[in-house]
Amino acid sequence: MKELMTGNVAIARGAFESGVTVGAGYPGTPSTEILENFCRYQGIYAEWAPNEKVALEVGIGAAMAGARVLVTMKHVGVNVAADPLLTAAYTGVNGGLVLVSADDPGMHSSQNEQDNRNYARFARIPVLEPADSAEARDMVGLALDISEEFDIPVILRTTTRVAHSQGFVEIKERVERSLKDYQKDTRKWLMVPAFGRMRRQSLGERLTRLLDYSEKTPVNFVLEGSPEVGVITSGISFQYVRETLPGASVLKLGMTYPLPAELIKRFAAGVKRLFVVEELEPHIEEFVRLLGLPVAGREFFPETGELSVAVLKRGFMAAGIIPEEKAVPVQSFDDMPAVPVRPPVLCAGCPHRGVFYTLHKLKLVVTGDIGCYTLGGLAPLEGMDSCVCMGASIGMSHGIDKASPELRGRTVAVIGDSTFLHSGITGLIDVIYNNGNTTVMILDNSTTAMTGHQEHPSTGKTLMGAAAPRVDLEGLVRALGVTRVSTVDPLDLSQLTEAIKAEVAASGPSVIIARKPCALLKREAKPPVTVDREACTGCKTCLKLSCPAISVNEKLCSVDPVSCIGCGLCTQVCKFGALVAEGGEAGA
Amino acid sequence: MREIDILLVGVGGQGTILASRILAHVGQAAGYDIKVSEIHGMAQRGGSVVTQVRMGEKVYSPLIEEGRADVILAFEKLEALRWLSYLKPGGSLLVNDQAIYPVPVLAGLAQYPQDITGYLKAKVKDTVVLDALGTARECGNARAANVVLVGLLARRLPFAEDNWQEALAARVPARFLDVNRKAFAAGYGIG
Ligand SMILES: Cc1ncc(C[n+]2csc(CCOP(=O)(O)OP(=O)(O)O)c2C)c(N)n1
């Protein structure tokens, strides 16, 4: 039976069919749905770890214990997990371990577009790149076989278009596998320098064997075509190549580290002009150049953003491979009215909104973090100055405090609950230990909203749906040594404003926990806000909230009764009492 | 077997996903190779959403090229305008006559264009504009607006009505099936 599946669903399926019993990861687009689907199968264990480093360590432990393991994360998650990853290459595995790195060329939902094939080369571990859902499913099993045969973790690198596109996958049965025996072997697992040196040696030997394997693996294959043009490609780019140049010879590389030098040389020898088409970094291309082969790539195809058939056509036209007249006629719509952008916004009723409205009003410097709340940095809320990576808000705020007398006492770090547990805690310890003055706001909406509402260690539930102890955020930060800890309702503007003013003015570290569940999670049945047409002056102050339910037309505010959930925030900013909460003032 | 490229565009939460599922189901029953592509993540938060459905003997790229879509099914007017250049010359433009203002418009920082449907009709011969929301309401549930649009789309695709009925039964939750069958028929009837 064949089923239409996204790459992510297919990877979960592949892991199940190949006998994986342990899955671990941290959410991150475009990887999240892998574990969300995997956890629904019988006979497996799956978990969200607090961050990617822990997820990989759980995976390494499970592999050491003899299980087949799936670890998932987005590309930047691998940065967090890089420490265990680079040494796991030395230790190797017992049961097979596949690490899915979901890259995001074009940055659909990421802060950068790093190419994680670099990690394969850096860690010296194999990387497989599927081009569609069927390959994604197959390559999970293959990666596990390689992992066990060569005693090494394997990266399965997807990209957004593979992870989130659906294609047909033929469903197979699960092959059960018994745990491999664990035998104490400190020379393999205890990476002190003396043993580390031995394992480094062993890694070299394993790689030599892998090199040989990559020359023969069926996932590196040639599609015979015209000898005029040969294209080496991998991942989703393969699809664009097939569609753009149906007749060309193609060397499709499913395994892009280590690369098969002999296969590439043979392929190059059979074609007149050789191209490499790959998204992001010239990973394959540089290797081909090092082999001394004349090759073209970067001069015709960009090294940033996604490729597409259109991009390839332009490149191959410039290279003289496709005649210019083959260009698809695109109608021009020069006289089209300007199309306003439709950026994502905080939802109507989102508890984060009040925080950024207030921070902006108080003119504070706000080091931000990553989550839905990053949208609070955009106009008109503009309540955030920076966003670098998960957890960065607290350390950066502390750095500002130590560097600038002028900004000291005017700076606030803002971080979500999931992000705080991911990598904010160590930053806060730094503030406390080094006698800092930072004010940290933890926006606790009881979920990991950004990536689609995953559980985390303070939601009281696990990925598999079991009840779990909740991390008590107030208790945790007190235990770390913060004495000024307060909890506020982010939809109560006066309470929130007072708390922020007081904590920013106070010396020493403080934590404000702004607590209210995500509006999409718990819809409080409150009637929508109504407008008193007599009272409204059309002053547009309410628009500063950037609420998708509020608009002002013809000098009169209106509230969309369908999207408004009656959170009442706008009733607190209207100076004329024109916005009326039917269910009574929220938060007051 | 001809290639069919369909772009479904709208705003997060408008039900483009269910529509694409129904479409893919029909295509699969008819023996097509299919790729469906959508972007998750930030888009859920009220941003533009686009689902690309490609069918044919063998489909490689999951993405539709600019100027190549046979049909654009627009769940919102402004999104029809935004994606217009993806329609192939002679393609069909099916537009729900609904305006959802983006926040920059609500905030007075940008203008929602006037008479979008007039512009679209002037540019594309086969433009059909319908009030899917109102039609769905008449059928018994405003949330079936997406299936009204699927009905409208069905007329332009080479699949038998039975296949669509079967796809509806497979993809729509049983308790909403009646309403959705009505919604589909209403859209189909508009032609
Ligand atoms: C290292 C890393 N892992 C994962 C992500 C993806 N991601 C971005 S924010 C976020 C968590 C957001 O949750 P929270 O902090 O609770 O904020 P919310 O979205 O709920 O407001 C995740 C998983 C990332 N950007 N970087």
PDB file of all heavy atoms in Angstrom, chain A residues 2 165-166 240 242-243 313 335 340 342 344-345 372 449 551, chain B residues 28 35-36 45 54 60-61 63 65 76 79 82 100 106 119 123:
ATOM      1  N   LYS A   2       0.552   2.194  -0.884  1.00  0.00           N
ATOM      2  CA  LYS A   2       1.342   3.415  -0.854  1.00  0.00           C
ATOM      3  C   LYS A   2       0.530   4.572  -0.287  1.00  0.00           C
ATOM      4  O   LYS A   2      -0.683   4.651  -0.479  1.00  0.00           O
ATOM      5  CB  LYS A   2       1.912   3.752  -2.229  1.00  0.00           C
ATOM      6  CG  LYS A   2       0.893   4.136  -3.248  1.00  0.00           C
ATOM      7  CD  LYS A   2       1.559   4.493  -4.581  1.00  0.00           C
ATOM      8  CE  LYS A   2       0.484   4.974  -5.554  1.00  0.00           C
ATOM      9  NZ  LYS A   2       0.961   5.335  -6.864  1.00  0.00           N
ATOM     10  N   SER A 165       7.323  18.386   2.131  1.00  0.00           N
ATOM     11  CA  SER A 165       6.599  18.041   0.903  1.00  0.00           C
ATOM     12  C   SER A 165       6.127  16.601   1.004  1.00  0.00           C
ATOM     13  O   SER A 165       6.807  15.757   1.577  1.00  0.00           O
ATOM     14  CB  SER A 165       7.500  18.182  -0.319  1.00  0.00           C
ATOM     15  OG  SER A 165       7.855  19.530  -0.486  1.00  0.00           O
ATOM     16  N   GLN A 166       4.957  16.361   0.420  1.00  0.00           N
ATOM     17  CA  GLN A 166       4.431  15.002   0.439  1.00  0.00           C
ATOM     18  C   GLN A 166       4.686  14.296  -0.879  1.00  0.00           C
ATOM     19  O   GLN A 166       4.580  14.901  -1.936  1.00  0.00           O
ATOM     20  CB  GLN A 166       2.911  15.029   0.676  1.00  0.00           C
ATOM     21  CG  GLN A 166       2.522  15.694   1.977  1.00  0.00           C
ATOM     22  CD  GLN A 166       1.020  15.916   2.074  1.00  0.00           C
ATOM     23  OE1 GLN A 166       0.238  15.066   1.675  1.00  0.00           O
ATOM     24  NE2 GLN A 166       0.624  17.064   2.596  1.00  0.00           N
ATOM     25  N   TYR A 240      14.968  19.263  -9.040  1.00  0.00           N
ATOM     26  CA  TYR A 240      14.997  20.435  -9.918  1.00  0.00           C
ATOM     27  C   TYR A 240      15.837  20.139 -11.167  1.00  0.00           C
ATOM     28  O   TYR A 240      15.504  20.577 -12.268  1.00  0.00           O
ATOM     29  CB  TYR A 240      15.567  21.654  -9.180  1.00  0.00           C
ATOM     30  CG  TYR A 240      14.855  21.994  -7.872  1.00  0.00           C
ATOM     31  CD1 TYR A 240      15.555  22.466  -6.775  1.00  0.00           C
ATOM     32  CD2 TYR A 240      13.474  21.837  -7.754  1.00  0.00           C
ATOM     33  CE1 TYR A 240      14.913  22.779  -5.584  1.00  0.00           C
ATOM     34  CE2 TYR A 240      12.821  22.139  -6.569  1.00  0.00           C
ATOM     35  CZ  TYR A 240      13.546  22.608  -5.486  1.00  0.00           C
ATOM     36  OH  TYR A 240      12.916  22.907  -4.309  1.00  0.00           O
ATOM     37  N   ARG A 242      16.281  17.144 -12.559  1.00  0.00           N
ATOM     38  CA  ARG A 242      15.526  16.227 -13.428  1.00  0.00           C
ATOM     39  C   ARG A 242      14.482  16.976 -14.245  1.00  0.00           C
ATOM     40  O   ARG A 242      14.231  16.657 -15.394  1.00  0.00           O
ATOM     41  CB  ARG A 242      14.834  15.136 -12.584  1.00  0.00           C
ATOM     42  CG  ARG A 242      15.785  14.135 -11.994  1.00  0.00           C
ATOM     43  CD  ARG A 242      16.428  13.265 -13.043  1.00  0.00           C
ATOM     44  NE  ARG A 242      15.505  12.248 -13.554  1.00  0.00           N
ATOM     45  CZ  ARG A 242      15.674  11.603 -14.693  1.00  0.00           C
ATOM     46  NH1 ARG A 242      16.707  11.867 -15.458  1.00  0.00           N
ATOM     47  NH2 ARG A 242      14.804  10.690 -15.074  1.00  0.00           N
ATOM     48  N   GLU A 243      13.848  17.969 -13.598  1.00  0.00           N
ATOM     49  CA  GLU A 243      12.800  18.691 -14.303  1.00  0.00           C
ATOM     50  C   GLU A 243      13.370  19.702 -15.298  1.00  0.00           C
ATOM     51  O   GLU A 243      12.819  19.916 -16.367  1.00  0.00           O
ATOM     52  CB  GLU A 243      11.894  19.391 -13.283  1.00  0.00           C
ATOM     53  CG  GLU A 243      10.590  19.833 -13.889  1.00  0.00           C
ATOM     54  CD  GLU A 243       9.527  20.157 -12.855  1.00  0.00           C
ATOM     55  OE1 GLU A 243       9.408  19.419 -11.856  1.00  0.00           O
ATOM     56  OE2 GLU A 243       8.831  21.164 -13.046  1.00  0.00           O
ATOM     57  N   LYS A 313      16.966  27.069 -14.402  1.00  0.00           N
ATOM     58  CA  LYS A 313      16.834  27.468 -15.802  1.00  0.00           C
ATOM     59  C   LYS A 313      17.695  28.698 -16.079  1.00  0.00           C
ATOM     60  O   LYS A 313      18.407  28.749 -17.074  1.00  0.00           O
ATOM     61  CB  LYS A 313      15.369  27.779 -16.134  1.00  0.00           C
ATOM     62  CG  LYS A 313      14.590  26.528 -16.440  1.00  0.00           C
ATOM     63  CD  LYS A 313      13.222  26.826 -17.005  1.00  0.00           C
ATOM     64  CE  LYS A 313      12.520  25.503 -17.307  1.00  0.00           C
ATOM     65  NZ  LYS A 313      11.069  25.635 -17.349  1.00  0.00           N
ATOM     66  N   ASP A 335       0.811  46.847 -13.953  1.00  0.00           N
ATOM     67  CA  ASP A 335      -0.158  47.803 -13.421  1.00  0.00           C
ATOM     68  C   ASP A 335      -0.859  47.278 -12.172  1.00  0.00           C
ATOM     69  O   ASP A 335      -1.865  47.799 -11.746  1.00  0.00           O
ATOM     70  CB  ASP A 335      -1.188  48.132 -14.494  1.00  0.00           C
ATOM     71  CG  ASP A 335      -1.861  46.867 -15.042  1.00  0.00           C
ATOM     72  OD1 ASP A 335      -1.318  45.763 -14.821  1.00  0.00           O
ATOM     73  OD2 ASP A 335      -2.930  46.977 -15.663  1.00  0.00           O
ATOM     74  N   PRO A 340       0.092  44.666  -0.173  1.00  0.00           N
ATOM     75  CA  PRO A 340       0.707  44.778   1.152  1.00  0.00           C
ATOM     76  C   PRO A 340       1.181  43.414   1.661  1.00  0.00           C
ATOM     77  O   PRO A 340       0.571  42.397   1.346  1.00  0.00           O
ATOM     78  CB  PRO A 340      -0.420  45.325   2.039  1.00  0.00           C
ATOM     79  CG  PRO A 340      -1.683  45.083   1.290  1.00  0.00           C
ATOM     80  CD  PRO A 340      -1.337  45.006  -0.160  1.00  0.00           C
ATOM     81  N   ARG A 342       1.863  40.328   4.242  1.00  0.00           N
ATOM     82  CA  ARG A 342       1.033  39.748   5.298  1.00  0.00           C
ATOM     83  C   ARG A 342       1.968  39.000   6.248  1.00  0.00           C
ATOM     84  O   ARG A 342       2.108  37.782   6.169  1.00  0.00           O
ATOM     85  CB  ARG A 342      -0.011  38.805   4.701  1.00  0.00           C
ATOM     86  CG  ARG A 342      -1.101  38.387   5.684  1.00  0.00           C
ATOM     87  CD  ARG A 342      -2.017  37.349   5.074  1.00  0.00           C
ATOM     88  NE  ARG A 342      -2.812  37.797   3.956  1.00  0.00           N
ATOM     89  CZ  ARG A 342      -3.964  38.477   4.071  1.00  0.00           C
ATOM     90  NH1 ARG A 342      -4.433  38.781   5.250  1.00  0.00           N
ATOM     91  NH2 ARG A 342      -4.629  38.830   2.991  1.00  0.00           N
ATOM     92  N   PRO A 344       3.477  37.275   9.632  1.00  0.00           N
ATOM     93  CA  PRO A 344       2.849  36.601  10.771  1.00  0.00           C
ATOM     94  C   PRO A 344       2.776  37.576  11.941  1.00  0.00           C
ATOM     95  O   PRO A 344       3.622  38.460  12.066  1.00  0.00           O
ATOM     96  CB  PRO A 344       3.807  35.448  11.074  1.00  0.00           C
ATOM     97  CG  PRO A 344       5.092  35.806  10.432  1.00  0.00           C
ATOM     98  CD  PRO A 344       4.787  36.717   9.300  1.00  0.00           C
ATOM     99  N   VAL A 345       1.761  37.445  12.747  1.00  0.00           N
ATOM    100  CA  VAL A 345       1.600  38.332  13.914  1.00  0.00           C
ATOM    101  C   VAL A 345       1.205  37.511  15.131  1.00  0.00           C
ATOM    102  O   VAL A 345       0.741  36.388  14.995  1.00  0.00           O
ATOM    103  CB  VAL A 345       0.485  39.371  13.677  1.00  0.00           C
ATOM    104  CG1 VAL A 345       0.950  40.466  12.764  1.00  0.00           C
ATOM    105  CG2 VAL A 345      -0.781  38.719  13.160  1.00  0.00           C
ATOM    106  N   CYS A 372       7.451  32.431  19.549  1.00  0.00           N
ATOM    107  CA  CYS A 372       6.395  33.299  19.007  1.00  0.00           C
ATOM    108  C   CYS A 372       6.649  34.743  19.410  1.00  0.00           C
ATOM    109  O   CYS A 372       6.405  35.670  18.639  1.00  0.00           O
ATOM    110  CB  CYS A 372       5.040  32.891  19.568  1.00  0.00           C
ATOM    111  SG  CYS A 372       4.336  31.447  18.811  1.00  0.00           S
ATOM    112  N   ALA A 449       5.002  27.177  21.852  1.00  0.00           N
ATOM    113  CA  ALA A 449       3.966  27.566  20.888  1.00  0.00           C
ATOM    114  C   ALA A 449       4.488  27.661  19.462  1.00  0.00           C
ATOM    115  O   ALA A 449       3.873  27.170  18.519  1.00  0.00           O
ATOM    116  CB  ALA A 449       3.341  28.892  21.303  1.00  0.00           C
ATOM    117  N   SER A 551      -9.321  46.990  14.032  1.00  0.00           N
ATOM    118  CA  SER A 551      -9.008  47.885  12.921  1.00  0.00           C
ATOM    119  C   SER A 551      -9.691  49.225  13.173  1.00  0.00           C
ATOM    120  O   SER A 551     -10.613  49.314  13.988  1.00  0.00           O
ATOM    121  CB  SER A 551      -9.468  47.280  11.598  1.00  0.00           C
ATOM    122  OG  SER A 551     -10.850  47.007  11.655  1.00  0.00           O
TER     123      SER A 551
ATOM    124  N   GLN B  28      -4.763  10.566  -6.355  1.00  0.00           N
ATOM    125  CA  GLN B  28      -4.211   9.237  -6.089  1.00  0.00           C
ATOM    126  C   GLN B  28      -5.144   8.161  -6.644  1.00  0.00           C
ATOM    127  O   GLN B  28      -4.697   7.211  -7.292  1.00  0.00           O
ATOM    128  CB  GLN B  28      -4.005   9.030  -4.578  1.00  0.00           C
ATOM    129  CG  GLN B  28      -3.419   7.650  -4.271  1.00  0.00           C
ATOM    130  CD  GLN B  28      -3.011   7.487  -2.809  1.00  0.00           C
ATOM    131  OE1 GLN B  28      -3.218   8.384  -1.982  1.00  0.00           O
ATOM    132  NE2 GLN B  28      -2.421   6.349  -2.491  1.00  0.00           N
ATOM    133  N   LYS B  35       2.862  15.366  -5.822  1.00  0.00           N
ATOM    134  CA  LYS B  35       3.678  16.014  -4.777  1.00  0.00           C
ATOM    135  C   LYS B  35       2.860  17.166  -4.219  1.00  0.00           C
ATOM    136  O   LYS B  35       2.233  17.916  -4.975  1.00  0.00           O
ATOM    137  CB  LYS B  35       4.988  16.539  -5.353  1.00  0.00           C
ATOM    138  CG  LYS B  35       5.973  15.427  -5.744  1.00  0.00           C
ATOM    139  CD  LYS B  35       7.254  15.473  -4.927  1.00  0.00           C
ATOM    140  CE  LYS B  35       8.055  14.180  -5.046  1.00  0.00           C
ATOM    141  NZ  LYS B  35       9.089  14.228  -6.084  1.00  0.00           N
ATOM    142  N   VAL B  36       2.883  17.299  -2.926  1.00  0.00           N
ATOM    143  CA  VAL B  36       2.193  18.406  -2.262  1.00  0.00           C
ATOM    144  C   VAL B  36       3.205  19.103  -1.374  1.00  0.00           C
ATOM    145  O   VAL B  36       3.938  18.446  -0.637  1.00  0.00           O
ATOM    146  CB  VAL B  36       1.024  17.904  -1.381  1.00  0.00           C
ATOM    147  CG1 VAL B  36       0.313  19.080  -0.716  1.00  0.00           C
ATOM    148  CG2 VAL B  36       0.049  17.071  -2.188  1.00  0.00           C
ATOM    149  N   ARG B  45       0.830  31.801  12.120  1.00  0.00           N
ATOM    150  CA  ARG B  45       0.422  32.963  12.897  1.00  0.00           C
ATOM    151  C   ARG B  45      -0.156  34.066  12.013  1.00  0.00           C
ATOM    152  O   ARG B  45       0.343  35.180  11.992  1.00  0.00           O
ATOM    153  CB  ARG B  45       1.610  33.491  13.696  1.00  0.00           C
ATOM    154  CG  ARG B  45       2.334  32.449  14.516  1.00  0.00           C
ATOM    155  CD  ARG B  45       1.563  32.083  15.779  1.00  0.00           C
ATOM    156  NE  ARG B  45       2.167  30.947  16.469  1.00  0.00           N
ATOM    157  CZ  ARG B  45       1.717  29.696  16.337  1.00  0.00           C
ATOM    158  NH1 ARG B  45       0.706  29.422  15.581  1.00  0.00           N
ATOM    159  NH2 ARG B  45       2.294  28.711  16.994  1.00  0.00           N
ATOM    160  N   ARG B  54       0.933  19.206  -7.180  1.00  0.00           N
ATOM    161  CA  ARG B  54       1.347  18.864  -8.542  1.00  0.00           C
ATOM    162  C   ARG B  54       0.987  17.415  -8.830  1.00  0.00           C
ATOM    163  O   ARG B  54       1.257  16.533  -8.008  1.00  0.00           O
ATOM    164  CB  ARG B  54       2.865  19.055  -8.710  1.00  0.00           C
ATOM    165  CG  ARG B  54       3.361  20.431  -8.319  1.00  0.00           C
ATOM    166  CD  ARG B  54       4.756  20.674  -8.863  1.00  0.00           C
ATOM    167  NE  ARG B  54       4.714  20.738 -10.316  1.00  0.00           N
ATOM    168  CZ  ARG B  54       5.794  20.594 -11.096  1.00  0.00           C
ATOM    169  NH1 ARG B  54       6.979  20.370 -10.556  1.00  0.00           N
ATOM    170  NH2 ARG B  54       5.676  20.669 -12.410  1.00  0.00           N
ATOM    171  N   TYR B  60       8.604  15.562 -10.338  1.00  0.00           N
ATOM    172  CA  TYR B  60       9.891  15.710  -9.663  1.00  0.00           C
ATOM    173  C   TYR B  60       9.817  16.814  -8.610  1.00  0.00           C
ATOM    174  O   TYR B  60       9.650  16.556  -7.426  1.00  0.00           O
ATOM    175  CB  TYR B  60      11.004  15.978 -10.679  1.00  0.00           C
ATOM    176  CG  TYR B  60      11.314  14.776 -11.536  1.00  0.00           C
ATOM    177  CD1 TYR B  60      10.907  14.711 -12.864  1.00  0.00           C
ATOM    178  CD2 TYR B  60      11.999  13.684 -11.002  1.00  0.00           C
ATOM    179  CE1 TYR B  60      11.179  13.599 -13.646  1.00  0.00           C
ATOM    180  CE2 TYR B  60      12.270  12.560 -11.782  1.00  0.00           C
ATOM    181  CZ  TYR B  60      11.867  12.528 -13.098  1.00  0.00           C
ATOM    182  OH  TYR B  60      12.131  11.429 -13.858  1.00  0.00           O
ATOM    183  N   SER B  61       9.924  18.067  -9.056  1.00  0.00           N
ATOM    184  CA  SER B  61       9.946  19.170  -8.100  1.00  0.00           C
ATOM    185  C   SER B  61       8.615  19.288  -7.363  1.00  0.00           C
ATOM    186  O   SER B  61       7.555  19.182  -7.977  1.00  0.00           O
ATOM    187  CB  SER B  61      10.229  20.478  -8.837  1.00  0.00           C
ATOM    188  OG  SER B  61       9.947  21.567  -7.987  1.00  0.00           O
ATOM    189  N   LEU B  63       7.627  21.990  -6.239  1.00  0.00           N
ATOM    190  CA  LEU B  63       7.247  23.398  -6.362  1.00  0.00           C
ATOM    191  C   LEU B  63       6.768  23.737  -7.774  1.00  0.00           C
ATOM    192  O   LEU B  63       7.333  23.273  -8.758  1.00  0.00           O
ATOM    193  CB  LEU B  63       8.436  24.293  -6.022  1.00  0.00           C
ATOM    194  CG  LEU B  63       9.063  24.062  -4.653  1.00  0.00           C
ATOM    195  CD1 LEU B  63      10.238  24.999  -4.460  1.00  0.00           C
ATOM    196  CD2 LEU B  63       8.027  24.256  -3.561  1.00  0.00           C
ATOM    197  N   GLU B  65       6.427  26.291 -10.780  1.00  0.00           N
ATOM    198  CA  GLU B  65       7.171  27.441 -11.286  1.00  0.00           C
ATOM    199  C   GLU B  65       6.250  28.621 -11.526  1.00  0.00           C
ATOM    200  O   GLU B  65       5.074  28.437 -11.862  1.00  0.00           O
ATOM    201  CB  GLU B  65       7.763  27.047 -12.637  1.00  0.00           C
ATOM    202  CG  GLU B  65       9.244  27.064 -12.711  1.00  0.00           C
ATOM    203  CD  GLU B  65       9.638  26.753 -14.142  1.00  0.00           C
ATOM    204  OE1 GLU B  65       9.372  25.628 -14.602  1.00  0.00           O
ATOM    205  OE2 GLU B  65      10.190  27.651 -14.784  1.00  0.00           O
ATOM    206  N   GLU B  76      -8.575  33.891  -0.341  1.00  0.00           N
ATOM    207  CA  GLU B  76      -8.680  35.295   0.055  1.00  0.00           C
ATOM    208  C   GLU B  76      -8.222  36.128  -1.134  1.00  0.00           C
ATOM    209  O   GLU B  76      -7.294  35.742  -1.853  1.00  0.00           O
ATOM    210  CB  GLU B  76      -7.796  35.535   1.283  1.00  0.00           C
ATOM    211  CG  GLU B  76      -8.109  36.768   2.092  1.00  0.00           C
ATOM    212  CD  GLU B  76      -7.370  38.009   1.612  1.00  0.00           C
ATOM    213  OE1 GLU B  76      -6.487  37.888   0.734  1.00  0.00           O
ATOM    214  OE2 GLU B  76      -7.677  39.097   2.101  1.00  0.00           O
ATOM    215  N   GLU B  79      -4.539  37.486  -1.533  1.00  0.00           N
ATOM    216  CA  GLU B  79      -3.596  36.401  -1.815  1.00  0.00           C
ATOM    217  C   GLU B  79      -3.667  36.006  -3.290  1.00  0.00           C
ATOM    218  O   GLU B  79      -2.662  35.595  -3.876  1.00  0.00           O
ATOM    219  CB  GLU B  79      -3.853  35.215  -0.894  1.00  0.00           C
ATOM    220  CG  GLU B  79      -3.635  35.530   0.593  1.00  0.00           C
ATOM    221  CD  GLU B  79      -2.304  36.212   0.880  1.00  0.00           C
ATOM    222  OE1 GLU B  79      -1.268  35.695   0.432  1.00  0.00           O
ATOM    223  OE2 GLU B  79      -2.300  37.276   1.538  1.00  0.00           O
ATOM    224  N   ARG B  82      -1.466  38.438  -4.905  1.00  0.00           N
ATOM    225  CA  ARG B  82      -0.061  38.203  -4.554  1.00  0.00           C
ATOM    226  C   ARG B  82       0.555  37.106  -5.428  1.00  0.00           C
ATOM    227  O   ARG B  82       1.698  37.185  -5.831  1.00  0.00           O
ATOM    228  CB  ARG B  82       0.033  37.798  -3.079  1.00  0.00           C
ATOM    229  CG  ARG B  82       1.464  37.748  -2.524  1.00  0.00           C
ATOM    230  CD  ARG B  82       1.530  37.194  -1.110  1.00  0.00           C
ATOM    231  NE  ARG B  82       0.611  37.789  -0.165  1.00  0.00           N
ATOM    232  CZ  ARG B  82       0.742  38.999   0.370  1.00  0.00           C
ATOM    233  NH1 ARG B  82       1.765  39.739   0.055  1.00  0.00           N
ATOM    234  NH2 ARG B  82      -0.150  39.467   1.206  1.00  0.00           N
ATOM    235  N   ILE B 100      -9.318  39.565   4.072  1.00  0.00           N
ATOM    236  CA  ILE B 100      -8.789  39.485   5.436  1.00  0.00           C
ATOM    237  C   ILE B 100      -7.638  40.482   5.481  1.00  0.00           C
ATOM    238  O   ILE B 100      -6.649  40.329   4.752  1.00  0.00           O
ATOM    239  CB  ILE B 100      -8.306  38.062   5.781  1.00  0.00           C
ATOM    240  CG1 ILE B 100      -9.464  37.063   5.658  1.00  0.00           C
ATOM    241  CG2 ILE B 100      -7.715  38.029   7.195  1.00  0.00           C
ATOM    242  CD1 ILE B 100      -9.060  35.609   5.899  1.00  0.00           C
ATOM    243  N   LEU B 106      -4.428  46.946   8.879  1.00  0.00           N
ATOM    244  CA  LEU B 106      -5.208  47.292  10.075  1.00  0.00           C
ATOM    245  C   LEU B 106      -4.577  48.467  10.800  1.00  0.00           C
ATOM    246  O   LEU B 106      -5.241  49.338  11.337  1.00  0.00           O
ATOM    247  CB  LEU B 106      -5.280  46.096  11.036  1.00  0.00           C
ATOM    248  CG  LEU B 106      -5.994  44.848  10.519  1.00  0.00           C
ATOM    249  CD1 LEU B 106      -5.948  43.752  11.574  1.00  0.00           C
ATOM    250  CD2 LEU B 106      -7.435  45.169  10.164  1.00  0.00           C
ATOM    251  N   TYR B 119      -9.743  43.913 -11.056  1.00  0.00           N
ATOM    252  CA  TYR B 119      -8.431  43.806 -11.687  1.00  0.00           C
ATOM    253  C   TYR B 119      -8.183  42.381 -12.182  1.00  0.00           C
ATOM    254  O   TYR B 119      -7.743  42.167 -13.320  1.00  0.00           O
ATOM    255  CB  TYR B 119      -7.335  44.226 -10.694  1.00  0.00           C
ATOM    256  CG  TYR B 119      -5.940  44.125 -11.277  1.00  0.00           C
ATOM    257  CD1 TYR B 119      -5.407  45.168 -12.036  1.00  0.00           C
ATOM    258  CD2 TYR B 119      -5.176  42.977 -11.097  1.00  0.00           C
ATOM    259  CE1 TYR B 119      -4.145  45.071 -12.595  1.00  0.00           C
ATOM    260  CE2 TYR B 119      -3.907  42.868 -11.639  1.00  0.00           C
ATOM    261  CZ  TYR B 119      -3.396  43.922 -12.389  1.00  0.00           C
ATOM    262  OH  TYR B 119      -2.147  43.818 -12.938  1.00  0.00           O
ATOM    263  N   LYS B 123      -7.643  40.827 -16.082  1.00  0.00           N
ATOM    264  CA  LYS B 123      -6.379  40.199 -16.500  1.00  0.00           C
ATOM    265  C   LYS B 123      -6.531  38.741 -16.903  1.00  0.00           C
ATOM    266  O   LYS B 123      -5.783  38.237 -17.729  1.00  0.00           O
ATOM    267  CB  LYS B 123      -5.362  40.272 -15.347  1.00  0.00           C
ATOM    268  CG  LYS B 123      -4.899  41.664 -15.024  1.00  0.00           C
ATOM    269  CD  LYS B 123      -4.008  42.177 -16.143  1.00  0.00           C
ATOM    270  CE  LYS B 123      -3.846  43.677 -15.992  1.00  0.00           C
ATOM    271  NZ  LYS B 123      -2.993  44.231 -17.052  1.00  0.00           N
TER     272      LYS B 123
END
